[in-house]
Amino acid sequence: MKIAIVGAGIIGVTTAWELASDGHQVSVFERRGAAAEETSFANAGLIVPGQVGPWAAPGMRTKLLRSLLSSQGAIKLRWPLAGRELRWLAQWQRACRLETHLANRARMQRLAFYSRTRLHELTETRELSYERSQGCLVLLRSRRDQKLVQPGLEALRAAGGAFREVDADEARRIEPALSTDTELAGAIHLPDDEVANCRQFALLLKREAESLGARFHFNCDIAPLSRAAPRSLALSAGSDAIPFDAVVMCAGVASAALLRPLGLRIPLASVYGHSVSANIREPLNAPRSAVMDERHQISISRMGLRVRVAGSAELGGSLNTMNPAALQTLYKVLHDWFPGAATLQAGVQQWKGARPTLPDGPPVIGPSGVPGVWLNLGHGASGWALSCGSARVLADLVGGRDAGIDLEGLGVERLSL
Ligand SMILES: Cc1cc2nc3c(=O)[nH]c(=O)nc-3n(C[C@H](O)[C@H](O)[C@H](O)COP(=O)(O)OP(=O)(O)OC[C@H]3O[C@@H](n4cnc5c(N)ncnc54)[C@H](O)[C@@H]3O)c2cc1C
């Protein structure tokens, strides 16, 4: 089939690869000048399937309210919120119920474990070499933090995920540069998990997809799909529409607006986050792999010769305005755990990205309900961890095959459009 993909983030690139490897004639259209220039650009890089889960969770409403009173809260609402953001919050609140949360978490983790296996297959068979390190340590500052993670550990145990609860001494043996000046009650060690550079992987896999015949068209800002010819694409600036046998929407947060003329109302919100990447000053003072500060929900990871600290979650505001308080918290947490690890005087990259987030958590993968229009979108805070599996699932569905995992709860029908 002649298939068009809109968007060359990690989701569009992995989808292009899988469809091209199934023998389809693939064209990818991207408004930016290169792949992975938006949310897939400088994310935390964590591939931690056992920690993947919806933002909608019991206790989150209280956390959100509490964070409004603190400048260092892990999550923030930025007033005024638009009408669609308020509607999204109402749906999100309903999905915070324990049963709904657990069901969505199980759906996301099933996809995440499948995705990690697919990522490893691609890495090995295509001999892809990108920045990656093995293992992740979840840092628990106090006994209270240790208690709060117990329900999550129960779920992880039930899902068969490998982990070990370790004391502070053992945590410091795993990550020897952890500062002794910051209180550490213990940690969870996830030895099979990893951190890796999402953008680098996307650029490498793009090249592999091209070697199978996929064509990438950059600086092509695609117009919203038309109801009269939903499988034809035209440029926003105006151009003749090019017809395809199928269109796959992978345009991250922009997907909702591109699909609206088809009568699809996808409740996608931008949940903004920040990252800071800096050159390592002294490797002995830097993390070996990834650590996650559970209390602040901030990760610090090794990215080759750089260290990257990432986190914060904001609803409302805009992509173009950095939040100084969020950045300050990133620097504080980096200093708490790895003082002196990075050169912060020069060459620091500060970045803000928009997580394409559905209110209940899981992405939508599969048919849109409009013949020939397919969806692979809404991966929220875990798009990198879910990308390779989501792309494989999408390609199997397009090819009329059964997917490698149970897809219950990952379709568009659950959103009651
Ligand atoms: C601070 C932060 C930390 C994160 N950490 C992690 C992590 O540790 N692990 C993890 O798994 N995930 C993480 N994420 C989430 C992850 O980055 C996203 O889920 C993922 O990048 C989404 O990929 P995407 O391809 O859907 O979107 P994008 O990367 O945004 O790609 C969408 C593409 O569509 C293009 N596009 C949009 N509109 C049009 C149009 N009209 N025409 C043509 N092209 C168009 C855009 O230019 C863009 O390139 C993090 C996110 C943030 C912000």
Side-chain angles (χ1 to χ4, degrees), residues 50-51 105 109 148-157 163:
Q51 295 282 308
R105 187 186 159 108
Q109 295 198 350
L148 286 174
V149 294
Q150 289 310 316
L153 292 184
E154 277 308 313
L156 185 54
R157 204 169 279 124
F163 72 90

Side-chain angles (χ1 to χ4, degrees), residues 1-21 24-31 209 214-218 220 222 225 231 233 242 244-252 255 258 372 374-376 391 394-395 398:
M1 271 202 285
K2 211 173 130 199
I3 303 182
I5 294 174
V6 186
I10 189 64
I11 302 299
V13 170
T14 49
T15 303
W17 156 262
E18 296 291 355
L19 288 171
S21 66
H24 296 292
Q25 200 183 322
V26 175
S27 301
V28 183
F29 296 89
E30 166 56 52
R31 65 182 172 189
R215 297 190 58 192
F216 285 75
H217 305 272
F218 292 106
C220 288
I222 296 298
L225 303 190
R231 285 176 284 140
L233 296 186
I242 311 170
F244 292 90
D245 299 320
V247 170
V248 189
M249 187 57 68
C250 304
S255 302
L258 294 174
W374 297 81
L375 310 177
N376 193 1
L394 193 282
V398 168

Side-chain angles (χ1 to χ4, degrees), residues 51-250:
Q51 295 282 308
V52 164
W55 198 43
M60 280 299 277
R61 275 173 292 185
T62 320
K63 253 191 191 172
L64 195 63
L65 289 173
R66 214 181 289 140
S67 82
L68 293 175
L69 306 171
S70 150
S71 66
Q72 290 191 348
I75 46 179
K76 273 260 163 264
L77 291 182
R78 297 195 81 74
W79 301 105
L81 292 178
R84 69 188 144 72
E85 287 164 336
L86 290 170
R87 280 193 295 281
W88 186 93
L89 265 183
Q91 289 171 297
W92 171 79
Q93 200 165 313
R94 286 197 290 280
C96 284
R97 282 191 288 255
L98 180 64
E99 265 175 39
T100 314
H101 166 78
L102 290 177
N104 284 323
R105 187 186 159 108
R107 290 168 181 135
M108 292 175 78
Q109 295 198 350
R110 188 159 58 229
L111 180 60
F113 281 108
Y114 178 65
S115 197
R116 189 175 65 184
T117 304
R118 186 68 186 144
L119 169 70
H120 291 167
E121 277 166 13
L122 292 182
T123 301
E124 278 156 37
T125 55
R126 309 307 295 181
E127 297 181 1
L128 304 179
S129 168
Y130 50 97
E131 292 166 354
R132 59 194 286 226
S133 330
Q134 188 71 26
C136 179
L137 205 53
V138 181
L139 302 176
L140 306 167
R141 290 178 180 245
S142 64
R143 297 228 170 280
R144 186 169 173 274
D145 292 349
Q146 282 178 310
K147 241 166 105 184
L148 286 174
V149 294
Q150 289 310 316
L153 292 184
E154 277 308 313
L156 185 54
R157 204 169 279 124
F163 72 90
R164 235 163 22 104
E165 289 184 77
V166 299
D167 62 17
D169 289 343
E170 178 66 9
R172 291 199 166 92
R173 270 193 287 279
I174 297 165
E175 280 291 354
L178 279 175
S179 170
T180 46
D181 292 341
T182 300
E183 187 193 349
L184 177 64
I188 315 296
H189 185 221
L190 302 151
D192 296 344
D193 294 336
E194 63 195 274
V195 59
N197 191 321
C198 173
R199 176 169 173 261
Q200 266 185 10
F201 178 85
L203 295 177
L204 291 171
L205 198 66
K206 169 192 164 270
R207 222 184 297 154
E208 295 293 321
E210 283 173 323
S211 74
L212 296 179
R215 297 190 58 192
F216 285 75
H217 305 272
F218 292 106
N219 303 307
C220 288
D221 189 349
I222 296 298
L225 303 190
S226 93
R227 192 189 274 269
R231 285 176 284 140
S232 295
L233 296 186
L235 296 179
S236 293
S239 69
D240 289 341
I242 311 170
F244 292 90
D245 299 320
V247 170
V248 189
M249 187 57 68
C250 304

Side-chain angles (χ1 to χ4, degrees), residues 6-12 29-32 36-40 42-47 198 220-223 250-252 254 258 271-275 310-311 351 353-356 379-386:
V6 186
I10 189 64
I11 302 299
F29 296 89
E30 166 56 52
R31 65 182 172 189
R32 308 287 290 242
E37 287 286 298
E38 296 214 351
T39 317
S40 308
N43 62 29
L46 299 178
I47 299 170
C198 173
C220 288
D221 189 349
I222 296 298
C250 304
L258 294 174
V271 176
Y272 297 110
H274 296 73
S275 73
W351 173 79
R355 303 176 184 91
H379 294 75
S382 312
W384 171 214
L386 300 175

